[in-house]
């Protein structure tokens, strides 16, 4: 929706058409392991989390992929991501003219 000045419907439809098979594959991969590279969290996991939240921000419903949802929840519970989000929130709150 950010890359068109016209009707976003065909862009969204084509994106969903291309994205669904990829999500099916990613969901199947994540059924095999907790983190992208196995038992250990890596920055790749947080990058995938970021892609998921941006997809949802764009209106793409990810609720049909249970392993992706579990991976997202695991990321959001991970201390490294929690610390990064807290730093980001604090920096945003400190911006001039920002309330709260």
């Amino acid at each position: 929706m950010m890359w068109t000045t016209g009707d976003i419907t065909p862009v969204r439809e084509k994106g969903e058409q291309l994205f669904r098979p990829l999500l099916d594959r990613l969901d199947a991969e994540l059924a095999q392991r907790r983190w992208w590279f196995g038992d250990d969290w890596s920055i790749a996991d947080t990058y995938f989390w970021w892609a998921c939240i941006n997809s949802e921000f764009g209106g793409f419903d990810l609720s049909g992929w249970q392993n992706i949802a579990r991976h997202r929840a695991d990321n959001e519970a991970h201390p490294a991501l929690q610390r990064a989000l807290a730093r980001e929130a604090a920096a945003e709150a400190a911006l001039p003219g920002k309330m709260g």
Side-chain angles (χ1 to χ4, degrees):
M1 70 186 192
M2 294 184 290
W3 295 297
T4 184
T5 57
D7 181 13
I8 66 166
T9 303
V11 175
R12 185 180 307 261
E13 288 171 355
K14 184 63 174 178
E16 287 185 19
Q17 177 187 11
L18 296 171
F19 201 35
R20 286 183 185 283
L22 176 61
L23 289 170
D24 289 341
R25 182 174 174 199
L26 293 170
D27 195 68
E29 290 287 333
L30 287 169
Q32 309 290 324
R33 56 192 177 270
R34 180 175 184 199
W35 301 111
W36 190 250
F37 291 115
D39 293 333
D40 298 320
W41 174 89
S42 77
I43 196 64
D45 295 293
T46 298
Y47 183 74
F48 184 53
W49 168 83
W50 176 84
C52 288
I53 63 167
N54 278 289
S55 296
E56 290 177 340
F57 173 75
F60 191 85
D61 180 14
L62 295 173
S63 63
W65 292 273
Q66 75 179 68
N67 296 304
I68 290 173
R70 188 252 327 137
H71 185 263
R72 177 182 177 169
D74 286 352
N75 265 282
E76 290 173 352
H78 196 279
L81 181 59
Q82 289 181 353
R83 286 190 305 270
L85 292 175
R87 282 192 308 269
E88 185 176 289
E92 184 178 351
L95 291 172
K98 190 74 175 172
M99 298 174 70

